[in-house]
Amino acid sequence: MDPEIDDLASVLLEYAQDKLAVVDDAGTYVYVNEASASILSFEPEHLVDECAMEFIHPDDRRAVTEQFDQVSASTQSSATVQYRHATGSGGWVWLESRFTDPPDDALDGYVVSSRDITERVTAERERRDAESRLRTIAGTVGDVLWMFDGDWTELLFVNPAYEDVFGLPVDALEADPHNFLEVVHPDDVDCVREAMARASAGESVDIEYRVNPKTDYSRWVWVRAVPIRDDGEVVKIVGFSRDVTDRRRRERQLAVMDNLLRHNLRNDMAVIMGNAECIARDTDEPASERAEIIRQQGRELLESTAKQREIIDLLTERTTPEAIDLVPVASDAIGTIRDQHPSVTVELTAPDAAIARTLHEVELAVVELLENAIQHDPNGLPALSVSVCAREDRVEIAIEDSCPPIPEVEFRVLTGDWKMDDVYHTSGLGLWLVYWVVDLSDGHIAFERTETGNAITVSLPRESL
């Protein structure tokens, strides 16, 4: 070899970032470059003429020996192995080494090229440990936890709870991820497919449907799916499926009792009010006045049953907040009030749009607050105004009136200071409807008495576009 080229090769070897070594047939270091100092904290002269195997972790020596023997026996020209090598500081460093038998006799030995992979091995071990902990935790919860790829063609993870809830073995789902559609109630399959497509398109999904033919599809699951993006593309979909059969059963029972009581109440009140009307028509005062009181109380009681129906629907239908423009909501609520009370004037101040994340029943809440103000005005003709304001993180609807101060028991219901388990008698169920609509929308209500009346401000989360 040309001396100049030989000198250049020597310089390049010494400045190489990988540890380069030559070992003989006995596994003794014949040559080690300068990279050993930065990688192993050993100067090259400390390693030369030493047995390389003495520096390898005892648990890894067998694997290294097997790979080296295959190369030295000429069964293969090269081999790669990962192992721990001792360091000058008394620790260990993970190396990935490639053993090579040169094709000619220019080099008396075997070339070992090694790079430090400690960070990679540590990260992989931490990942496996975290995954093991996750699987341990997931195996103890009753919810079905799962992860699919972005188009639902590969199951990445599911915990054992799947088998009990869906009635299908996990290995069957792993073999064909679309198998879970086979255990969905036939009437619900289309809406489940549609929800899957929405999740693949990047939308978070919240849905309930029936599963498990082994139980005649009597099991209901509440499923929430969230897409995971990478560079804007949906690469994974993660979520959970919760068995809500008991809640569904209670809701059905509640609905039956509600329908039964309302039916009986309407029938009985019709009889009472009919007789009260006859008494008022056929008798003189004061009996006719008392009959009119009975009729008025009956009408109010029937109105309460209508509010009760709205509350039952709100609490049992499990609606979820969605992006809603509160400007047309406020406008439509005012229109409802004007239809019911033509002589009442309501002013509206609002921007072109104000998008909040709320339940669609928010319009009922605004109507109820306006109606409540009208009922509390001595003449039934309060000055009312509604303003909508979009702030940085929320959207506010403020209702102001010219009424006497609202009773404390009512505004404390609105602001949540008095919970439902406290026994306070409000003027009706309407304010509870308002409170629950706002509360289930993750909003809050503020109340203020002013010199000219009352101001109620409903704050709802602003939808981030």
Side-chain angles (χ1 to χ4, degrees):
M1 180 180 290
D2 189 304
E4 292 185 2
I5 296 178
D6 189 39
D7 292 342
L8 177 60
S10 298
V11 172
L12 292 175
L13 285 173
E14 294 307 318
Y15 280 94
Q17 296 297 308
D18 289 351
K19 170 180 170 285
L20 299 176
V22 177
V23 298
D24 60 16
D25 288 329
T28 301
Y29 279 121
V30 176
Y31 165 81
V32 181
N33 71 340
E34 288 293 335
S36 65
S38 60
I39 295 177
L40 303 176
S41 299
F42 281 127
E43 295 298 329
E45 56 267 22
H46 184 91
L47 298 176
V48 172
D49 295 331
E50 297 289 337
C51 178
M53 200 62 63
E54 295 299 321
F55 294 89
I56 295 175
H57 194 286
D59 294 344
D60 300 331
R61 288 174 184 171
R62 180 176 179 179
V64 174
T65 299
E66 289 177 352
Q67 296 300 315
F68 180 74
D69 288 347
Q70 291 184 27
V71 174
S72 62
S74 298
T75 58
Q76 58 188 54
S77 61
S78 65
T80 301
V81 64
Q82 297 179 1
Y83 60 95
R84 285 160 289 183
H85 193 292
T87 65
S89 59
W92 299 95
V93 62
W94 277 94
L95 297 180
E96 183 177 72
S97 295
R98 181 180 179 85
F99 305 140
T100 303
D101 184 8
D104 52 44
D105 297 329
L107 190 64
D108 186 18
Y110 304 91
V111 177
V112 183
S113 174
S114 306
R115 64 180 55 193
D116 184 354
I117 60 168
T118 304
E119 289 187 4
R120 190 178 81 193
V121 171
T122 301
E124 177 63 21
R125 180 175 295 172
E126 291 176 349
R127 185 194 66 78
R128 289 198 302 265
D129 290 345
E131 183 177 291
S132 176
R133 289 193 295 270
L134 174 61
R135 289 184 178 275
T136 300
I137 295 172
T140 64
V141 300
D143 290 349
V144 182
L145 309 179
W146 45 262
M147 179 188 299
F148 288 84
D149 66 351
D151 58 3
W152 303 91
T153 58
E154 181 182 0
L155 175 68
L156 303 177
F157 173 80
V158 68
N159 64 333
Y162 174 80
E163 296 191 5
D164 179 57
V165 175
F166 285 79
L168 186 72
V170 168
D171 55 4
L173 184 64
E174 291 174 338
D176 182 1
H178 282 192
N179 265 339
F180 82 90
L181 289 172
E182 300 297 323
V183 294
V184 175
H185 193 290
D187 292 344
D188 298 337
V189 170
D190 287 345
C191 70
V192 173
R193 288 186 183 276
E194 189 267 340
M196 292 168 63
R198 285 162 48 203
S200 294
E203 180 182 347
S204 294
V205 175
D206 197 310
I207 186 176
E208 291 187 7
Y209 54 87
R210 293 159 289 181
V211 298
N212 201 332
K214 293 181 180 179
T215 64
D216 197 24
Y217 299 106
S218 64
R219 284 203 167 182
W220 280 87
V221 289
W222 167 38
V223 179
R224 175 162 289 179
V226 178
I228 305 298
R229 297 176 181 272
D230 185 7
D231 291 333
E233 179 183 357
V234 176
V235 294
K236 297 177 183 177
I237 301 171
V238 300
F240 67 85
S241 304
R242 177 171 299 170
D243 188 339
V244 293
T245 306
D246 288 342
R247 175 176 63 77
R248 279 278 183 165
R249 184 180 297 115
R250 288 193 298 271
E251 289 173 357
R252 289 196 301 271
Q253 294 166 347
L254 181 60
V256 169
M257 292 302 299
D258 173 60
N259 289 332
L260 179 62
L261 290 174
R262 287 193 306 114
H263 177 268
N264 291 344
L265 180 60
R266 285 197 302 269
N267 288 346
D268 292 345
M269 285 307 304
V271 175
I272 292 172
M273 293 175 67
N275 281 277
E277 184 178 359
C278 291
I279 294 172
R281 185 179 61 246
D282 299 338
T283 60
D284 298 327
E285 296 182 0
S288 62
E289 293 178 353
R290 292 178 178 175
E292 183 56 33
I293 292 174
I294 294 174
R295 294 176 62 196
Q296 179 60 31
Q297 291 298 112
R299 285 192 292 267
E300 292 180 3
L301 187 56
L302 289 176
E303 290 176 2
S304 293
T305 64
K307 291 289 194 305
Q308 174 204 356
R309 176 72 271 170
E310 294 173 350
I311 292 175
I312 294 296
D313 290 343
L314 174 67
L315 299 180
T316 59
E317 287 185 359
R318 194 170 184 78
T319 54
T320 56
E322 55 189 278
I324 296 177
D325 188 351
L326 295 188
V327 174
V329 165
S331 179
D332 291 345
I334 291 173
T336 299
I337 290 297
R338 286 172 177 164
D339 291 340
Q340 297 175 354
H341 307 275
S343 57
V344 173
T345 301
V346 186
E347 296 182 357
L348 174 62
T349 303
D352 293 335
I355 312 297
R357 190 155 193 84
T358 180
L359 301 184
H360 70 271
E361 289 89 351
V362 66
E363 184 177 331
L364 291 176
V366 177
V367 170
E368 182 59 38
L369 290 174
L370 292 171
E371 184 70 42
N372 192 64
I374 295 172
Q375 292 176 357
H376 281 84
D377 186 76
N379 302 314
L381 292 172
L384 295 173
S385 66
V386 178
S387 60
V388 181
C389 179
R391 303 195 182 279
E392 182 177 356
D393 61 346
R394 65 190 187 279
V395 178
E396 296 178 345
I397 295 184
I399 294 96
E400 297 185 18
D401 63 47
S402 59
C403 302
I406 186 172
E408 181 181 18
V409 64
E410 296 194 354
F411 80 73
R412 292 200 180 279
V413 166
L414 285 173
T415 57
D417 295 328
W418 286 345
K419 302 298 183 183
M420 190 177 179
D421 53 358
D422 297 322
V423 182
Y424 296 107
H425 297 283
T426 68
S427 60
L429 294 173
L431 296 184
W432 284 113
L433 174 65
V434 174
Y435 171 76
W436 279 318
V437 168
V438 177
D439 185 58
L440 293 172
S441 300
D442 293 326
H444 66 273
I445 302 174
F447 176 83
E448 180 184 3
R449 289 188 176 100
T450 69
E451 294 181 357
T452 57
N454 305 285
I456 299 172
T457 302
V458 174
S459 294
L460 298 165
R462 184 170 181 176
E463 175 71 3
S464 51
L465 302 176

